[in-house]
Amino acid sequence: MAFSTVHFLCFFLLFLGLPAARVTNASVDPCNAFSDGSGDLSVIPIYAKCSPFAADHGGSLLDTVVKMSSNDPHRLNYLTSLVAGKPNPNSVPIGSGNQLLHTGNYVVRAKLGTPPQLMFMVLDTSSDAAWAPCTGCSGCPSAATAEVNPNSSSTFSSLSCSTAQCAQARGLTCPSSTTASPSPAACSFNHTYGGGSAFSAALVEDTLALSSDEIPGFAFGCITAVTSGGASIPPQGLLGLGRGPMSLMTQTTSLYSGVFSYCLPSFRSFYFSGSLKLGRAGQPGSIKTTPLLKNPHRPSLYYVNLTGVSVGRTRVPVDPKYLGFDPNTGAGTIVDSGTVITRFVQPVYEAIRDEFRKQVKGPFSTLGAFDTCFTADNADNAAPKITLHMTGLDLTLPMENSLIHSSAGSLSCLSMASAPNNVDSVLNVIANLQQQNLRILFDVPNSRIGIAYENCN
């Protein structure tokens, strides 16, 4: 008997420790092998086959990452604006500036409303709120999109200007208190961004379902119109995991205690997903941690104290002022799920790059954001490992997190970069490519971040 696709898939799932009984001749769908009924949420690369946004980008994985990382300057601009603007810490926007642009690297399944409506929402640790497109949204992305239909949910309601949630959000448009009105006005938003990108939203609440948990009265932005830049907005919305008053973790403190972790799968994982664990249950019992620092001007960002970087056995010489945490300027190092490749301020990156080049035989070439690409038959053996030193924790990056290879040849690149020349950034950003196949624990009550090696694929 011929060895069929079903037989192969059953064998492969058994190899991964998954029940082959899930695969039948009637339905050969590896994406269905990962359900969210176990208490974990699947974390899916947005271009993976199990994502509704999957697309054939062509070329190699290196080409795909180069294309994705070309949008990082928008992200760095947004993060820099957060730490430089010193906004009111008790006031957060539904969506702010380039936060809406190019953050779609990983999505999670979420359900909104009663009965539940399935959405694939972008996971973002540097966002303070959630938002989703609503039915009839003008200018919202049309490709592979879903919209929340308020008329189909028995638990949907708009929030008025008199609610506490509305007072916590910037950019609201409400009538003056002297305006006579038979009922409280709806809390709505109009945002305009550099480059002409703008959207309008209403603050609403509905039941949010994550895995087997239901969260009634969850407040989020219901997008009604995008006047420009719509192609760059994640089609099914965003789920913010920051520490602001309207973030998922703040709205669910009684349920999840301000604790979550994720394990991001490699961009190579076209069929398989990582996981998002919410709450204390199921978190690693033993994990190395580093203190979580807090910027009072922008408390939602997850700062850590990066004290140095080693390339191989050599600790690179870096002036401490480029690494130190400064709440007045926002300088320091954050862990961010929305940036693709780790970015250092220029003096730090150049010290790392120069030491890396000393230990690897050139010549070197440039490809996109990567300025240290080289050809080697076995690049993993030729290249030194990179270690990020943090208070109480030394993270030696797996080779796949510091080197990215072309599947079409022997070209490999150091998968880090400096902040773009047009971004006046004081931030070092540990990005999602460097977090892949690691369990990252965010424990806000205990002011710590934990990191452990884990196969997320």
Side-chain angles (χ1 to χ4, degrees):
M1 182 175 65
F3 192 77
S4 68
T5 301
V6 172
H7 292 133
F8 173 79
L9 191 53
C10 289
F11 173 81
F12 189 50
L13 291 175
L14 285 170
F15 173 76
L16 292 173
L18 297 172
R22 293 182 181 178
V23 182
T24 67
N25 283 305
S27 176
V28 183
D29 185 358
C31 297
N32 287 339
F34 294 84
S35 70
D36 288 337
S38 63
D40 293 352
L41 280 162
S42 296
V43 177
I44 306 167
I46 196 167
Y47 295 137
K49 299 299 183 185
C50 297
S51 162
F53 316 110
D56 183 8
H57 291 274
S60 67
L61 172 67
L62 177 56
D63 295 329
T64 299
V65 173
V66 167
K67 191 178 301 182
M68 292 172 67
S69 63
S70 68
N71 295 320
D72 274 355
H74 296 284
R75 181 71 173 183
L76 268 292
N77 259 325
Y78 161 65
L79 295 172
T80 299
S81 71
L82 291 187
V83 301
K86 299 184 180 180
N88 182 344
N90 296 316
S91 176
V92 297
I94 285 290
S96 106
N98 286 313
Q99 177 180 0
L100 293 184
L101 304 177
H102 313 298
T103 59
N105 304 140
Y106 290 94
V107 294
V108 294
R109 296 182 185 95
K111 296 177 182 178
L112 286 165
T114 306
Q117 303 170 44
L118 177 63
M119 307 290 287
F120 284 78
M121 304 178 76
V122 164
L123 181 73
D124 189 352
T125 56
S126 296
S127 173
D128 286 329
W131 53 265
C134 283
T135 301
C137 175
S138 173
C140 278
S142 58
T145 193
E147 295 177 331
V148 175
N149 187 346
N151 296 327
S152 298
S153 174
S154 62
T155 49
F156 180 96
S157 63
S158 297
L159 292 172
S160 73
C161 288
S162 62
T163 60
Q165 294 96 323
C166 191
Q168 291 171 338
R170 289 202 323 271
L172 62 91
T173 54
C174 286
S176 65
S177 58
T178 59
T179 302
S181 176
S183 60
C187 186
S188 59
F189 301 83
N190 290 286
H191 290 282
T192 301
Y193 310 110
S197 177
F199 81 99
S200 301
L203 187 62
V204 302
E205 64 179 14
D206 208 337
T207 297
L208 171 68
L210 297 171
S211 185
S212 57
D213 295 332
E214 286 194 356
I215 304 156
F218 181 75
F220 64 97
C222 180
I223 296 181
T224 55
V226 178
T227 58
S228 62
S232 299
I233 293 178
Q236 296 186 15
L238 179 145
L239 195 62
L241 292 174
R243 290 186 278 176
M246 289 180 61
S247 74
L248 171 66
M249 300 315 297
T250 302
Q251 291 194 57
T252 59
T253 300
S254 61
L255 181 62
Y256 299 130
S257 304
V259 177
F260 71 96
S261 73
Y262 57 64
C263 196
L264 302 179
S266 167
F267 293 137
R268 298 180 181 88
S269 304
F270 288 127
Y271 277 111
F272 303 112
S273 58
S275 66
L276 171 66
K277 297 178 184 288
L278 298 168
R280 296 189 183 281
Q283 301 296 354
S286 177
I287 189 170
K288 292 184 177 180
T289 63
T290 188
L292 176 60
L293 308 178
K294 188 172 184 178
N295 179 351
H297 300 301
R298 195 63 187 188
S300 63
L301 298 179
Y302 293 102
Y303 280 87
V304 294
N305 187 30
L306 182 68
T307 58
V309 180
S310 289
V311 177
R313 296 182 179 180
T314 302
R315 184 120 170 187
V316 297
V318 174
D319 190 326
K321 71 180 182 181
Y322 296 116
L323 298 176
F325 173 61
D326 185 343
N328 292 316
T329 64
T333 302
I334 66 168
V335 177
D336 177 50
S337 66
T339 309
V340 177
I341 61 172
T342 289
R343 301 273 184 162
F344 296 100
V345 296
Q346 188 172 356
V348 176
Y349 173 70
E350 289 180 351
I352 295 169
R353 179 200 62 194
D354 292 349
E355 181 59 36
F356 184 91
R357 288 180 174 181
K358 283 182 184 178
Q359 299 183 34
V360 177
K361 294 180 179 179
F364 299 100
S365 59
T366 297
L367 181 63
F370 307 128
D371 67 359
T372 302
C373 299
F374 61 99
T375 300
D377 293 333
N378 193 335
D380 286 358
N381 286 340
K385 289 189 175 182
I386 293 177
T387 300
L388 305 180
H389 301 287
M390 291 168 266
T391 302
L393 190 157
D394 292 332
L395 173 62
T396 299
L397 295 173
M399 194 57 70
E400 67 172 349
N401 293 28
S402 57
L403 274 189
I404 188 163
H405 310 288
S406 169
S407 58
S410 55
L411 185 70
S412 300
C413 299
L414 175 64
S415 55
M416 300 172 183
S418 65
N421 292 332
N422 61 341
V423 179
D424 186 20
S425 178
V426 294
L427 276 176
N428 301 299
V429 181
I430 301 175
N432 60 51
L433 184 61
Q434 279 63 49
Q435 297 176 48
Q436 292 174 358
N437 285 317
L438 298 171
R439 172 67 57 182
I440 313 290
L441 171 70
F442 298 80
D443 185 349
V444 174
N446 291 307
S447 298
R448 62 177 189 159
I449 284 183
I451 304 177
Y453 299 105
E454 182 177 325
N455 184 4
C456 309
N457 300 332

